[in-house]
DNA sequence: TTGTATGCGTTATCAT
DNA sequence: ATGATAACGCATACAA
């Protein structure tokens, strides 16, 4: 291994002053070509690499690093989000340290603290399902912060969310437009923000169509695809459902599983998933623009890192209804 | 925002020496309880957070950070890998900076350089499809390095790969055991390491079964699912194939697409994918243990970070054949 | 244009 | 047990 050569080593090797090497490394122009050449030589013979960690502790300098706390990187939703953030950040010279909270508030808080200690320049966070500590108890200064996917009451933070209510409303309305009158709702628990929002859209669509609400068509206990499959089967057999709206992709998968044994019903799901296009007929979905949500978050946080003092904003991004066939029979 | 309080600020506030605060923060025990309490108070009133970047430049101290360069985080294969690495790393106190190369050698090299400058303690790398610069041209010292998924001739590096050849061989043999004699091979280009290895397994299985090799059954130009679908359709119509072995999950998806219009053939694919379990019949696959590959990589690199000088090893992890029904009719 | 001296926030040495 | 001082690798006033 050996030790890492420092700027001082380069200076000695090239027979110039430390400061001249610093200038060279930082790409300043006012520098004697002769010395520059000597320095370049010294750098390559020594294999010098600058130590960004050391540079970052100087006043006015930063780590050129962003922190990101999500639920679970193995979940395609989060990995696509993370990739979008990474891409935009890198286009502006930033690296991303991402960490998974497993939706656990304690773990989430630990990660936030660690990232703060690592002196990331900005922070993007998807608040965990099991709420963590109140942000107001974290002593300032806190670097630029973006709340992603789920809003929270943090005065200084920008917020980027999807129009969950509008999306669900549009999806349900499409089913109704196709003649369905008894649309079943299948989802996870309403204690989850996105579920609440989407469910509100379901209710809105029914109301706007003058369709009476029937509680027996609603399931909000489907935590897994298997749960959802059972709920869908039940809605078909016992509740006289004539269509299914799936509140997330696990619920959609559950519906497909249920359809194997029980025939099929018109179906629209929230959130896209890989299998949606392969099933027959392909599954129609309303889905947020995940890459754009990621990109925008990174842009907002980096603008603030760069000095923007614009008042905090909440961006609610529209969803998109993709009709693939499953919305009718 | 305001500035970040430093250890010095805490010392002044608590009326103790800088070093005492350092001791307190680093959890040393030999410290007067009275002073400790004063320090704790000062820390919380000032909202002091330790600056790990500053700490890391001290000799013998490190960034407690791992670098990871993969192909594309939005690809489930890589995101599951990354998640496994992240989990293990965090269990040992490390954060992970991951970056996507898009399989582009130039971008890959840029990222490696940047991570080296950021002074990550260890590096895990999936060498890009389009080869980057030779590692031997990177001047030492290079931190502990693990080559993941694809081997490369780097003397000091540990290597973690899957048994691609053995896996493909097992999958093809299963099709043969079910009576198939004309197994078509559908894959991406053999310029890709994993493709080459898997294809070798295909050839081995044929040879061991005494089945003559027929070039007309082989397609190695399927870069997308659509390409693969066309190739599968062609194999069914023109080449008299009686089974399909898909060299990766895009090829598997292509086969499913082709089956829509052309009936179906026994199918086994390499690499698992979400839709595999939803299709009817569910798709059988041979797949590497991705989480274990990630975990092992992180373990190897962190053991070296912790001082292990064990000679470099190559771990070839076994694959698993999951039979779900598609292997017969 | 080049160099000297100082400081960033932290830990380590060595005295007290 | 505690503290003054130096050092880590780097950048920046300020001098030369």
């Amino acid at each position: 291994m050996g030790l890492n050569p420092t700027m001082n080593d380069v200076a000695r090797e090239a027979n110039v002053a430390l400061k001249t090497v610093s200038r060279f490394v930082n790409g300043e122009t006012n520098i004697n070509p002769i010395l520059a050449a000597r320095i370049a030589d010294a750098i390559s013979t020594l294999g010098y690499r600058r130590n960004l960690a050391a540079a970052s502790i100087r006043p006015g300098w930063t780590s050129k690093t962003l922190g990101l706390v999500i639920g679970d990187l193995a979940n395609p939703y989060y990995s696509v989000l993370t990739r979008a953030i990474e891409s935009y950040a890198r286009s502006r010279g930033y690296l991303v340290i991402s960490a998974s909270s497993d939706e656990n508030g304690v773990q989430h808080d630990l990660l936030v603290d660690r990232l703060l200690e690592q002196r990331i320049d900005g922070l993007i966070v998807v608040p965990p399902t099991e709420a963590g500590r109140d942000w107001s108890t974290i002593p300032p200064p806190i670097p630029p912060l973006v709340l992603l996917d789920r809003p929270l009451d943090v005065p200084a933070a920008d917020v980027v969310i999807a129009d969950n209510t509008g999306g669900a409303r549009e999806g349900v309305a499409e089913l109704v437009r196709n003649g369905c009158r008894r649309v079943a709702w299948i989802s996870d628990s309403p204690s989850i923000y996105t579920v609440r929002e989407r469910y509100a859209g379901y209710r809105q669509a029914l109301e706007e169509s003058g369709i009476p609400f029937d509680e027996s068509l609603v399931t909000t206990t489907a935590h897994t695809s298997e749960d959802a499959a059972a709920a869908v089967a039940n809605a078909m057999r016992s509740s006289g459902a004539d269509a299914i709206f799936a509140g997330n992709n696990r619920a959609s998968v559950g519906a497909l599983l249920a359809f194997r044994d029980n025939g099929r019903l018109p179906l629209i799901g929230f959130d896209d998933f890989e299998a949606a296009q392969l099933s027959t007929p392909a599954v129609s979905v309303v889905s947020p623009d995940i890459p754009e949500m990621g990109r925008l978050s990174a842009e907002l946080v980096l603008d603030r890192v760069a000095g923007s003092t614009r008042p905090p904003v909440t961006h609610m991004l529209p969803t998109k209804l993709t009709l693939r066939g499953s919305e009718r029979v």
Side-chain angles (χ1 to χ4, degrees), chain A residues 66-70 73 78 81-83 85-86 96-101 108 111 115 120 122-126 146 148 297:
Chain A
L66 244 41
L68 171 64
V69 184
I70 56 182
L73 192 58
Y78 287 117
L81 209 48
T82 303
R83 177 56 158 111
I85 291 169
E86 184 207 326
V96 176
I97 305 182
S98 62
S100 304
S101 71
H108 173 92
L111 288 169
L115 289 169
I120 42 101
L123 192 54
I124 300 175
V125 153
V126 179
V146 168
L148 184 48
S297 304

Side-chain angles (χ1 to χ4, degrees), chain A residues 214-285:
Chain A
D214 180 349
E215 197 168 356
S216 74
L217 288 168
V218 171
T219 303
T220 57
T221 52
H223 308 302
T224 67
S225 306
E226 287 69 30
D227 291 349
V232 169
N234 183 65
M236 295 173 78
R237 285 194 302 253
S238 314
S239 310
D242 62 5
I244 307 288
F245 189 88
N248 61 30
N249 49 20
R250 284 190 304 280
S252 298
V253 169
L256 292 181
L257 292 174
F259 288 172
R260 282 187 175 175
D261 309 323
N262 303 276
R264 54 170 54 247
L265 245 40
L267 165 70
I268 294 184
F270 208 114
D271 282 338
D272 210 345
F273 58 110
E274 189 195 15
Q277 306 178 50
L278 285 173
S279 123
T280 333
V283 178
S284 298
V285 295

Side-chain angles (χ1 to χ4, degrees), chain A residues 54-78:
Chain A
S56 76
I57 75 170
R58 305 296 333 284
W61 286 66
T62 64
S63 65
K64 292 285 186 180
T65 278
L66 244 41
L68 171 64
V69 184
I70 56 182
D72 175 12
L73 192 58
N75 179 330
Y77 180 86
Y78 287 117

Side-chain angles (χ1 to χ4, degrees), chain A residues 26 104 164 205 231 275 320:
Chain A
N26 284 35
N104 172 343
N164 289 286
K320 188 165 147 245

Side-chain angles (χ1 to χ4, degrees), chain A residues 16-37:
Chain A
V16 294
L18 177 61
K19 176 59 194 170
T20 311
V21 179
S22 174
R23 276 201 269 268
F24 180 88
V25 165
N26 284 35
E28 293 175 37
T29 51
N30 50 341
I31 178 171
N32 187 328
I34 313 263
L35 295 194

Side-chain angles (χ1 to χ4, degrees), chain A residues 160-168 170 270 286-293 296 315-321:
Chain A
V160 175
I161 51 177
D163 183 7
N164 289 286
T165 301
E170 188 184 0
F270 208 114
V286 25
S287 53
D289 187 345
I290 310 180
E292 174 57 14
M293 290 178 68
L296 178 59
H315 288 267
M316 182 153 87
L317 270 51
T319 58
K320 188 165 147 245
L321 176 60

